[in-house]
Amino acid sequence: MSEYQIFCDFDGTITKEDTLNKFLRLYADEKWLELEQNWINGKIGSRECTFEQMKLVPVLSDIELKNFIDSISIDSSFFEFMEYVKSENIDFYIVSDGFDFFINTILKQNGIKGVKVFSNHLRIENNKYVCEFPYTNPECIAASGMCKCSIVKKYKNNKKSVLYVGDGVSDFCVSNNIKTVFAKGKLLEYCKKNKEADNGLMSFDSFKDILNYLKK
């Protein structure tokens, strides 16, 4: 049994760009940007932001959805990383404030199976996108759609070395609850300012960096 346990963001971390952000940029009414700014400024939580933003997107055809998902690339080193994770029986969880529809489809199309995913749920009903938030927490300070802190609290194994991997705003809060954090982008900037100055913060460019750490 491996000594490690890993919780990992999806959009912008496993994928090369934020899936939901690209989806909104391509298909939503431009009012989504105002909602996004209100979220960034802390005026609304991500749950309200995402819920309202998805109202601004017309339902796409199956072909349009497929073409969009085909346009999303993942970190090429993630494949080797996952092979190692499985071979070493490392507990690996995806925790995302995005949608399961995108995450599961992207993973499947890249041949990645057997990954436990915690995220928001998206379905189409009466020609509308319906957002559901099965992992929300009414006590979440950030009012997130998917409370990553709650998932970590529930599944964290204190007998193991717990790692967190992320890149964005939705990772800020949970990064405070895990000592060893691999960060890039906005999360790295946040951690440099707020995380205790110890060996727990490491920057990364790709999953090759994390793989090298696990193999040490």
Side-chain angles (χ1 to χ4, degrees):
M1 184 64 70
S2 171
E3 66 177 289
Y4 293 109
Q5 182 183 40
I6 304 172
F7 295 89
C8 183
D9 175 52
F10 185 77
D11 288 312
T13 300
I14 294 174
T15 60
K16 293 182 179 180
E17 56 189 324
D18 189 301
T19 309
L20 182 56
N21 188 280
K22 182 176 182 179
F23 186 71
L24 293 169
R25 190 170 69 249
L26 290 175
Y27 304 112
D29 183 288
E30 63 181 13
K31 292 179 181 178
W32 79 271
L33 290 167
E34 182 179 342
L35 290 163
E36 190 80 0
Q37 195 60 51
N38 286 339
W39 169 59
I40 292 173
N41 293 337
K43 295 180 179 179
I44 59 175
S46 68
R47 181 175 64 248
E48 179 181 352
C49 179
T50 303
F51 183 83
E52 294 300 328
Q53 285 176 329
M54 289 304 292
K55 290 181 180 179
L56 301 173
V57 185
V59 173
L60 306 183
S61 68
D62 291 342
I63 293 177
E64 287 174 316
L65 278 173
K66 182 182 185 304
N67 289 339
F68 169 74
I69 290 174
D70 286 345
S71 74
I72 304 296
S73 300
I74 68 174
D75 181 344
S76 59
S77 61
F78 185 69
F79 299 99
E80 183 183 1
F81 168 81
M82 282 305 301
E83 287 180 2
Y84 183 80
V85 163
K86 291 181 178 180
S87 68
E88 296 297 315
N89 293 316
I90 296 174
D91 295 333
F92 180 80
Y93 306 92
I94 290 176
V95 286
S96 171
D97 206 16
F99 289 112
D100 54 0
F101 174 80
F102 295 127
I103 297 169
N104 292 331
T105 306
I106 291 168
L107 291 176
K108 182 179 179 180
Q109 289 195 171
N110 284 278
I112 299 168
K113 303 176 181 179
V115 179
K116 181 63 177 177
V117 176
F118 296 96
S119 69
N120 303 316
H121 178 61
L122 182 68
R123 60 188 173 86
I124 299 174
E125 184 177 287
N126 296 325
N127 205 37
K128 292 182 180 179
Y129 290 110
V130 179
C131 308
E132 297 178 346
F133 305 95
Y135 301 107
T136 192
N137 177 1
E139 297 179 359
C140 177
I141 297 174
S144 298
M146 208 291 286
C147 182
K148 298 184 179 185
C149 294
S150 296
I151 298 300
V152 168
K153 182 178 180 180
K154 182 176 181 179
Y155 290 94
K156 183 178 179 181
N157 188 334
N158 292 319
K159 294 181 180 180
K160 296 188 176 185
S161 296
V162 183
L163 314 180
Y164 188 82
V165 187
D167 79 304
V169 177
S170 70
D171 304 306
F172 286 4
C173 189
V174 69
S175 69
N176 297 319
N177 297 322
I178 297 179
K179 180 180 178 181
T180 305
V181 175
F182 283 87
K184 62 180 179 177
K186 292 181 180 179
L187 178 62
L188 181 60
E189 296 174 7
Y190 171 84
C191 287
K192 284 181 176 179
K193 294 179 181 179
N194 297 278
K195 197 168 178 63
E196 293 182 8
D198 56 20
N199 294 325
L201 174 61
M202 284 168 276
S203 63
F204 78 101
D205 293 316
S206 75
F207 279 85
K208 186 70 174 179
D209 300 321
I210 305 168
L211 179 59
N212 291 337
Y213 174 89
L214 296 174
K215 287 182 174 181
K216 285 183 180 179

